[in-house]
Amino acid sequence: MPQFRMKTVKSRALVGCISLSAALGSVAFFASAQENRNIVSNNLYGSPGLVDMPTAEALPDGTLTTTVAQLGETTRTSISFQISERLSASFRYSALAGYTGGWDNTYFDRSFDLRYQILTESQYRPSLTLGLQDVLGTGLYSGEYLVATKTLTPGLKVTGGFGWGRFGGNNPFATTGTRPDETLEEGGIPTVDRWFRGDVAAFGGVSYAPNDRWNFKLEYSSDIYEAEDERGQINYTSPWNFGVDYHFKNGNQMSIYHAYGDTLGAQFSIAVNPRTQGVPGGFETAGLPIKPRNPSDVRDLGWTTNPNASASAQAALTQLAAKDGLIVEGLTLEAHRATVRVVNPTYNVPSQAIGRLARSMSRSMPASVEEFVIIPIATGIPMSAIVLKRSDLERLEHEAATDMLVQTSVVDAYKLAPAPNPGIYPKFTWAITPYVDASVFDPDQPVRLDAGIRAKADYEITSNIILSGSITKKLLGNLDEDPRQDESGLPRVRTDNALYSAEGDPAIEYLQLAMYGRPASQFYSRVSVGYLERMYGGLSTEILWKPVGSRLALGAELNYIQRRDYNQLFGFQDMTTEDPVSGEEFEIPHLNGHVSAYYDMGKGFHGQLDVGRYLAGDYGATITLDKEFSNGWKVGAYATFTDVTSEEFGEGSFDKGLRFWIPLSPFIGQPSRKVNPTVIQSLSRDGGARLKVRGRLYEHVREYHEPEIAKSWGRFWR
């Protein structure tokens, strides 16, 4: 019999919030517009569906949805993402009150779903979708289904399907083998032995949207909630469910339900699509117009005899670029070519920075200069050289940006960049900001977090040698209440996190000296030494091969580490940890590292493969897949598989998680390079853990290479 982790539920605040949302929605304006009645609603599982059952519909490509749903004593929080036009995935965290008896106990469950739309709807053909529910999890919600949906008249849709597992309980009409029904204690393992096995039952329903706001739903459910009924969580008396949705203009959804004869439910879904997120075009001031040359001045080289001409041109360019938020660090001026060294602290879209600087050059360079070579600098090293013809800028200013792209070259900037001007370095910058360090979706408590104040600073000794650090002071939090005392056959490389949170107040988050370089054409390097992250210090080295025009990059990283003291000040401790249950001692290896491959797959998809040795000494690989959008949004997932068994790893079976990059710029309508990167791990464990080094090369380098520049070239004239 599996043993479940329990906790006391002290509040019903979530139910209250949902009730309040429903009350507000009831007085919302009843929209009578008939333009769009093709509403796609989410069900209680956070996927396209009726009440509890799925439909065959799909949300628009790129839609990211967060749903909080309450059905009886069960709360489901789901994150769903429409990966492509046909494929979608959902991660769900469910809280089941009274799972083993008694309303004061709650069991927390994690699950993962996949859906694929096999057929899209046509005039005579319904849409058809195949779904795998709880494909990675404990198996509590495990089920597979094939469902079809057809629009009969505008706003009226019918759905019918059949399924296994959770979808095969009500009046099964067939049986396809034996299906295991026990709940997996560790979870996180594909439940392949259950797929399309066991009883098969039918479900269906109808929905009607009288306008683009309201949607009324009726369904016949094939899930009998047998276990929940036995535990008293749901009083199941009928397979018929009823519901009504209200869709807000921004795409959000609020719903109330009457389900299974004697149960009320409600949900709220927040939907965003990175493709359409933000202020169209932005609020920033327009760039300077191109200044055409007088044809008679093009051949005039008299300025080349003036010893002050280069300094005068650079001063003018520096002043104009500064108005656009760009920093000119150096200029090499020749009779027909100007090569500029520039730092972009402002624009999250590289092509916009390039376009702005090109226009400033047209107004500050002598008329005989025909070729502009713009070299963006990041971490003190040249990333690429963008070569533009001045005559093309003059000729194509009012044409499509793609016309200018055809005339533009992106080449390797190795040994091409001017040296930085005297007096720029050393440079010191600092900031004081709030911080939040969170742990979510663990089996004991939905959210743990620390919050406080962070002071960080960078001292750029030279352009490519940077001393940086951060100090935090915790003001409140409960991350120190996550002791992780379960047995593991691995060194405690991450599960001692609670001790670092408890004793590190104040704490030196990191304090490192990093040197970046260009050892050869197409190669980039990094060496970092110091307190590299909150748990480890040492030496980290990295080399990256990345041609400027290639979608492929290869890299290697090698680290020598020492475990830091729990108080995260200046001390270190030995590399021996003790299992809290067995008392067995394990040695953390000093050496770890990876070889990596990065590939831009096109159509917004980007993949990464890291193979090597992890912190606990385990060997394996991490596979990462991201969907990227031209405005800077990224949504992705990763999974790590090593030679650690699922039993040694513990709950969750292997390391996996979701990744989000949310840029600030689309929300404020102003250029900004600020991005909020978020990683949601289903559970942080020791297996598959990797050193958290700041300043890894690839993201810095790829930004100014040809594939990335081309993606965003539409903003060249912004």
Side-chain angles (χ1 to χ4, degrees):
M1 184 72 180
Q3 298 297 313
F4 301 109
R5 300 176 181 272
M6 314 299 297
K7 73 177 288 291
T8 299
V9 179
K10 299 181 179 178
S11 173
R12 293 289 184 264
L14 180 60
V15 179
C17 290
I18 294 173
S19 301
L20 177 60
S21 297
L24 294 174
S26 66
V27 298
F29 174 71
F30 188 93
S32 59
Q34 300 292 319
E35 296 85 2
N36 177 21
R37 295 162 67 182
N38 186 29
I39 294 176
V40 179
S41 295
N42 290 320
N43 61 14
L44 285 162
Y45 285 97
S47 299
L50 295 166
V51 178
D52 220 23
M53 297 293 102
T55 63
E57 300 166 290
L59 293 167
D61 183 15
T63 301
L64 180 65
T65 308
T66 300
T67 299
V68 178
Q70 188 81 22
L71 180 65
E73 293 296 322
T74 297
T75 304
R76 299 175 189 151
T77 302
S78 305
I79 300 174
S80 300
F81 182 57
Q82 193 69 38
I83 301 171
S84 67
E85 292 181 351
R86 295 175 181 254
L87 180 65
S88 65
S90 301
F91 171 75
R92 185 176 308 102
Y93 184 79
S94 303
L96 294 84
Y99 191 82
T100 57
W103 295 112
D104 291 334
N105 295 318
T106 295
Y107 168 61
F108 295 101
D109 181 81
R110 300 178 304 279
S111 55
F112 181 76
D113 305 347
L114 285 172
R115 289 168 50 102
Y116 184 76
Q117 192 177 58
I118 301 170
L119 298 174
T120 58
E121 185 175 355
S122 66
Q123 183 177 359
Y124 302 107
R125 181 186 68 201
S127 54
L128 184 67
T129 291
L130 177 68
L132 298 173
Q133 184 169 286
D134 199 1
V135 64
L136 287 177
T138 62
L140 184 67
Y141 288 115
S142 175
E144 303 78 49
Y145 57 86
L146 187 66
V147 61
T149 298
K150 186 72 179 75
T151 302
L152 299 183
T153 63
L156 179 63
K157 302 175 185 177
V158 293
T159 291
F162 57 89
W164 295 257
R166 294 288 300 212
F167 302 98
N170 190 29
N171 296 322
F173 61 82
T175 300
T176 56
T178 303
R179 184 185 186 96
D181 60 0
E182 71 273 8
T183 301
L184 302 177
E185 184 175 0
E186 303 297 344
I189 301 175
T191 53
V192 180
D193 60 333
R194 306 178 185 217
W195 295 354
F196 308 105
R197 295 188 180 184
D199 291 341
V200 186
F203 60 86
V206 61
S207 67
Y208 178 65
N211 52 57
D212 61 352
R213 291 289 178 265
W214 294 93
N215 192 29
F216 299 91
K217 302 183 290 190
L218 166 67
E219 75 174 17
Y220 177 84
S221 171
S222 58
D223 187 348
I224 61 174
Y225 278 77
E226 181 177 11
E228 289 86 350
D229 191 25
E230 291 177 355
R231 290 191 297 265
Q233 293 174 293
I234 285 182
N235 182 22
Y236 181 92
T237 61
S238 171
W240 293 99
N241 300 329
F242 309 87
V244 59
D245 307 324
Y246 181 80
H247 289 258
F248 298 87
K249 289 184 178 181
N250 60 7
N252 297 341
Q253 172 191 335
M254 182 171 58
S255 306
I256 54 175
Y257 305 115
H258 183 272
Y260 302 108
D262 193 31
T263 304
L264 293 178
Q267 76 173 60
F268 187 78
S269 294
I270 298 174
V272 297
N273 193 319
R275 295 182 183 279
T276 58
Q277 192 65 42
V279 181
F283 296 133
E284 69 267 31
T285 57
L288 294 169
I290 295 291
K291 182 179 180 180
R293 294 169 290 178
N294 189 324
S296 62
D297 295 335
V298 171
R299 296 181 179 275
D300 183 4
L301 298 177
W303 64 270
T304 59
T305 62
N306 182 354
N308 298 319
S310 180
S312 177
Q314 182 171 173
L317 177 61
T318 300
Q319 185 177 16
L320 290 173
K323 293 179 180 179
D324 282 326
L326 300 172
I327 301 172
V328 173
E329 289 193 342
L331 172 69
T332 299
L333 189 59
E334 303 170 72
H336 302 293
R337 179 189 297 117
T339 303
V340 180
R341 177 190 181 101
V342 62
V343 174
N344 168 30
T346 303
Y347 301 94
N348 69 322
V349 178
S351 61
Q352 188 171 6
I354 294 163
R356 295 261 173 152
L357 187 64
R359 280 173 280 181
S360 294
M361 293 178 73
S362 77
R363 308 182 75 84
S364 57
M365 296 299 105
S368 68
V369 176
E370 167 64 10
E371 187 174 83
F372 295 163
V373 182
I374 298 173
I375 301 181
I377 304 296
T379 61
I381 53 177
M383 295 299 171
S384 65
I386 297 95
V387 183
L388 310 101
K389 298 294 184 182
R390 190 172 186 173
S391 55
D392 291 333
L393 292 166
E394 295 169 338
R395 177 170 55 90
L396 300 173
E397 181 181 13
H398 301 294
E399 305 299 327
T402 51
D403 294 340
M404 190 65 215
L405 178 61
V406 172
Q407 307 299 324
T408 302
S409 300
V410 182
V411 300
D412 197 329
Y414 181 64
K415 293 188 175 180
L416 295 182
N421 294 326
I424 293 180
Y425 298 97
K427 184 191 299 183
F428 179 75
T429 56
W430 62 277
I432 297 178
T433 61
Y435 82 91
V436 174
D437 186 9
S439 171
V440 296
F441 302 145
D442 73 35
D444 295 314
Q445 188 166 319
V447 179
R448 286 189 175 93
L449 60 84
D450 286 348
I453 299 296
R454 172 185 287 127
K456 59 182 180 180
D458 293 328
Y459 183 65
E460 299 173 67
I461 302 170
T462 66
S463 64
N464 65 321
I465 301 178
I466 304 169
L467 177 64
S468 59
S470 170
I471 298 174
T472 59
K473 170 60 182 174
K474 183 168 70 174
L475 300 180
L476 57 90
N478 61 350
L479 281 179
D480 54 352
E481 298 175 7
D482 182 22
R484 292 282 171 227
Q485 295 299 311
D486 49 334
E487 187 173 5
S488 171
L490 297 171
R492 294 176 66 83
V493 294
R494 289 299 182 203
T495 47
D496 277 344
N497 181 64
L499 296 175
Y500 284 89
S501 177
E503 297 189 27
D505 185 26
I508 299 173
E509 269 192 309
Y510 66 95
L511 179 60
Q512 68 174 32
L513 181 68
M515 182 173 68
Y516 301 88
R518 293 292 312 268
S521 175
Q522 302 182 355
F523 283 89
Y524 304 80
S525 65
R526 173 187 58 82
V527 178
S528 305
V529 62
Y531 302 99
L532 302 174
E533 54 146 289
R534 67 180 308 192
M535 295 187 185
Y536 299 97
L539 175 68
S540 175
T541 61
E542 183 183 6
I543 189 77
L544 178 73
W545 171 81
K546 174 68 172 70
V548 293
S550 175
R551 294 178 180 271
L552 175 69
L554 301 174
E557 178 180 294
L558 181 64
N559 308 307
Y560 182 89
I561 61 168
Q562 186 71 35
R563 192 163 61 135
R564 295 180 61 185
D565 280 345
Y566 294 131
N567 62 18
Q568 299 167 74
L569 296 177
F570 294 101
F572 289 97
Q573 56 181 307
D574 62 43
M575 299 288 277
T576 301
T577 68
E578 182 178 298
D579 191 290
V581 178
S582 67
E584 184 179 357
E585 291 189 343
F586 295 91
E587 195 76 18
I588 302 175
H590 289 283
L591 286 174
N592 61 76
H594 290 76
V595 292
S596 303
Y598 313 85
Y599 189 69
D600 186 340
M601 302 174 183
K603 296 185 177 181
F605 290 99
H606 186 276
Q608 180 176 336
L609 175 65
D610 303 292
V611 180
R613 191 187 201 193
Y614 294 82
L615 285 174
D618 46 333
Y619 291 88
T622 299
I623 302 170
T624 304
L625 180 65
D626 297 318
K627 183 156 189 178
E628 304 175 335
F629 301 86
S630 59
N631 60 3
W633 276 75
K634 298 181 188 179
V635 179
Y638 76 90
T640 299
F641 305 94
T642 73
D643 55 5
V644 171
T645 66
S646 58
E647 291 77 13
E648 289 176 316
F649 184 90
E651 192 158 6
S653 299
F654 64 95
D655 187 35
K656 52 194 172 295
L658 306 175
R659 309 177 352 146
F660 304 89
W661 282 259
I662 303 176
L664 178 63
S665 179
F667 294 96
I668 63 175
Q670 297 288 344
S672 174
R673 292 185 61 80
K674 292 183 179 179
V675 176
N676 181 26
T678 301
V679 176
I680 298 177
Q681 289 177 285
S682 61
L683 192 64
S684 179
R685 304 288 300 186
D686 296 315
R690 192 173 178 185
L691 191 67
K692 298 176 181 178
V693 180
R694 287 165 174 79
R696 285 190 169 112
L697 292 169
Y698 179 68
E699 291 300 329
H700 294 293
V701 172
R702 68 180 292 221
E703 182 180 16
Y704 292 104
H705 280 198
E706 184 175 359
E708 290 301 306
I709 290 175
K711 288 178 189 176
S712 65
W713 196 260
R715 295 189 69 86
F716 179 82
W717 292 118
R718 289 291 308 170

